[in-house]
Amino acid sequence: MKKLSAQIALILLVFTLIIPAFVIAQSPNGGLPNRRARGTAQTAAVQRDFDEALKLVQEQYIDGKKLNYNDVFKSSIIGMLRSLDPHSNYYDREEFDELKTDQRSEYFGIGASIQNYAHGDQADTYITATFEGSPAGRAGLRYGDRIVEVDGVKMTGKSSLEVRDKIRGPRGSTVKLTLERAADKRIEKVDIVRDAVPQPSIPDAYMLKPGVGYIDMTRGFNYTTTDELLDALDRLHAKGMTSLVLDLRNNPGGFLDQAIHVAEVFLRNGQLILTQKGRNGYRDNQYESHNNAPDTTPLVILINENTASASEIVAGAMQDHDRALIVGQTSFGKGLVQSIIPLEYGAGLTLTSAKYFTPSGRLIQRDYSNGGFYDYYTHGAGVASEPKTPAKPTGPETKTDTGRAVYGGGGISPDESIGPRMVNLTQRRLLSPTFAFTRDLVNGRIHGFETSRIAGGINFRHDLEPDEFKVTDAMFRAFRDFVAADPAYKISAATVDRYRSFIESELRFNIVTAAYGRVMGDRVFIITDDPQVSKAVDVLPKARDLAMSSAEQKIGRQ
C-alpha cells in the first residue's frame, strides 16, 4: 500500500511540476507566483480529500477487508487522466511492460498464433500457426493443436486473449502447456521456454500482379519500421514494381520519428511532413523531408477507421502533397502526441503533450468533448459488421498542393471511399466448421483426401502460387457432408451452398495457413477477396497522374 501511495503522490508531483514549467516558458512575469501558489494549494486540497476518502472507505466500506488497493489507486489515477483526454493513461507495472513491448520489434512469449473456435456450446483455443524460429515451432506445436491447460489452469471457455496473457511471460521463464494434438487427438504436456519473438512492422511484401507491389504495414511503427520499408521497396523494385499499394489499415500508430522517416522515403527535400505544437510553445516543431532522392513510385495508401496516430501522419502528409491517393474508410482521427513517462516501481503513464497538424494545416483530431470513452473509441458504432456511410467533413477546409479541398477535425478522409470485406453473422458461424474440417483435412482424416495430409512444420520459405490449394468441387462436397454429419454446428446444406464462395475462401486460407503460416494465409484474402485492395489497384493510374500534376506544379513555382 505504501508503494501505491507513493505512486499517487508521484503523479500529483508530476502535474505540480510539469504544469508550472509550461507556464514559465512563455508567460508574462507578472502574476506567476500567485498562479503557482494557487496550483500548490489546490493540489494539497485534492490530496487531503483523497486521503480522507480513502480512510472512510477503509473504515466503513462493507467489504473493506476485501479491498484491492492496486485497483483503487489505479482507478483514481486513470479517472484523473480521463478528465483530460482519451489518450492520457496510467499503466501499472505489468501493463507498462506490455506497452514497451509493443514498441519493440519483438515480444517475449512462445511465438504462436491462437484463435477461439466453438463446437456447440463449447469454445476452445487452438494453435493456428507458429512463427519461424519460434519456441513454439521448435517445440513441435502444429496447426490445430488444442490448448487444454496453461500451467495447470484449464482453458476451455477462455477467450484467446486470456489464453495469450497466460502464455506470455518473462524471457527465459517456462510455460507448461497441455495440448490435444491435432494429428492424433492424444493429450500431451509440453514445457516451452519463453524467448524473444520477432514482431516486424512489415510482415509481408509481394507483387499483387505484374508491376504492382503490395506492402503490409498494418502492425504499428516501432524502432525498425523505416529500415523494414526500405528493404521491402528494394525487393519489390527488383521484381519489376512500377506502382505500389501501401496498406496502413488497422495500423495503431507508434513512434513519431518513424512516421516522419517513412513519409520522408516518398517526399522530396524540403516538403513539410507535419507541424507539432505544444503548450505555450513548448515542444513546437516542424518536420520536413531531407531526402534528395525520394522513391517516386506511383502510390495508393489504404486506410480504415482503425488507422490512427503515426499512420495518419503518413497518410495526411501523402494526401496533402498529392503524393498518394488515399483509398478505404475515414481514419480514426488522433492528432495528439503523448509523452511516455516512467514512474517509480515500474509503472508509467502516457500524457498528451502536443498536437500535430498535417502539411496543409489540418488538425485531424476528432472531438472528444461530448461523448464517453467507449463512444470515442468505437466511433459510436453498433454491430461491427454493419457498413457505415462515410461521415461528411465538418472541420476547417484546407488545400492540398494541387488545390484539392481537405478537411480537419475528423481523421483523414479517403480520396476514394470503399468499405471492407464484410462478414455477416451466418458467415461467422461458418468459421468454426471450416477450421474443424481443415484440421481433419491436413491430418488425413477426411475420406477421399488422405493425401492432403501436411506432415511436419510450416514451410516458411514457400511463395504461394496463384492456383495452389484451390478448393475443388469434391472438397466442397466433402465439407458439406462434414457439416451435415455434425448437428452441433446447426448449419443446413442450403446455407452451405448459399455461402459457397465464402467457404471456399476460408478453407483455402486455413489450408495455406497450415502449410505456409499465417502471413502467407493472409494473402488468400488480400489477393482474391479484398474489395479495398482491388479498388486500390484500379485507381493506381489516378495516383500516378495526381503525383505528376503535383510535381509539375512544384517545378512551375521554382
Side-chain angles (χ1 to χ4, degrees), residues 52 70 146 153 178 181 247 266 277 329 382 427 450 473:
E52 184 177 353
N70 182 69
R146 180 169 68 91
V153 179
T178 302
R181 288 297 199 174
D247 195 346
F266 300 103
K277 295 182 181 180
Q329 300 160 287
Q427 290 169 323
E450 289 80 5
D473 289 342

Side-chain angles (χ1 to χ4, degrees), residues 286-314:
Q286 282 194 334
Y287 299 93
E288 297 179 349
S289 174
H290 298 286
N291 189 353
N292 289 316
D295 189 294
T296 58
T297 306
L299 177 64
V300 168
I301 293 179
L302 287 170
I303 64 171
N304 65 6
E305 58 191 11
N306 297 316
T307 301
S309 194
S311 51
E312 290 177 292
I313 288 174
V314 173

Side-chain angles (χ1 to χ4, degrees), residues 18-36 38 279-282:
I18 287 179
I19 293 175
F22 282 119
V23 173
I24 290 171
Q26 291 189 0
S27 286
N29 292 330
L32 183 56
N34 290 335
R35 294 175 69 179
R36 183 187 293 274
R38 286 199 302 272
R279 178 175 173 176
N280 297 326
Y282 182 75

Side-chain angles (χ1 to χ4, degrees), residues 116-363:
N116 279 124
Y117 291 102
H119 182 254
D121 296 329
Q122 179 173 309
D124 286 293
T125 303
Y126 295 84
I127 302 291
T128 57
T130 59
F131 305 148
E132 186 173 12
S134 68
R138 294 194 298 270
L141 271 61
R142 297 288 184 266
Y143 174 93
D145 287 346
R146 180 169 68 91
I147 302 174
V148 179
E149 295 180 355
V150 179
D151 290 332
V153 179
K154 291 187 179 300
M155 292 293 109
T156 296
K158 304 287 187 183
S159 72
S160 58
L161 287 177
E162 291 178 280
V163 178
R164 182 204 69 174
D165 290 343
K166 287 285 291 181
I167 292 175
R168 285 190 178 184
R171 187 176 195 174
S173 61
T174 299
V175 60
K176 298 178 181 297
L177 299 183
T178 302
L179 303 170
E180 180 195 74
R181 288 297 199 174
D184 52 16
K185 304 293 185 72
R186 62 190 167 86
I187 301 297
E188 181 180 356
K189 295 183 182 294
V190 180
D191 292 354
I192 304 178
V193 178
R194 299 179 177 102
D195 201 351
V197 178
Q199 188 170 251
S201 290
I202 298 175
D204 207 4
Y206 52 93
M207 303 297 289
L208 290 170
K209 67 178 190 177
V212 179
Y214 169 86
I215 294 178
D216 181 342
M217 192 186 283
T218 57
R219 294 187 178 180
F221 289 75
N222 60 38
Y223 292 112
T224 62
T225 301
T226 306
D227 289 338
E228 291 178 44
L229 173 62
L230 293 172
D231 288 343
L233 288 170
D234 286 344
R235 294 198 307 271
L236 293 178
H237 281 304
K239 294 180 180 179
M241 178 178 69
T242 57
S243 56
L244 172 64
V245 176
L246 179 64
D247 195 346
L248 292 178
R249 293 175 297 178
N250 301 313
N251 187 312
F255 288 127
L256 175 64
D257 67 321
Q258 288 294 311
I260 292 166
H261 293 320
V262 166
E264 197 172 26
V265 169
F266 300 103
L267 295 178
R268 298 185 303 272
N269 186 50
Q271 285 188 298
L272 183 64
I273 296 172
L274 83 152
T275 301
Q276 179 177 294
K277 295 182 181 180
R279 178 175 173 176
N280 297 326
Y282 182 75
R283 296 178 66 87
D284 284 8
N285 214 333
Q286 282 194 334
Y287 299 93
E288 297 179 349
S289 174
H290 298 286
N291 189 353
N292 289 316
D295 189 294
T296 58
T297 306
L299 177 64
V300 168
I301 293 179
L302 287 170
I303 64 171
N304 65 6
E305 58 191 11
N306 297 316
T307 301
S309 194
S311 51
E312 290 177 292
I313 288 174
V314 173
M318 298 297 109
Q319 187 178 51
D320 282 4
H321 289 303
D322 299 300
R323 175 62 186 86
L325 205 66
I326 310 298
V327 171
Q329 300 160 287
T330 299
S331 65
F332 183 87
K334 181 180 181 291
L336 306 178
V337 179
Q338 280 72 49
S339 294
I340 300 175
I341 304 172
L343 303 176
E344 281 191 284
Y345 312 112
L349 60 83
T350 54
L351 184 66
T352 297
S353 54
K355 297 177 179 179
Y356 72 79
F357 300 80
T358 70
S360 68
R362 287 184 286 171
L363 173 65

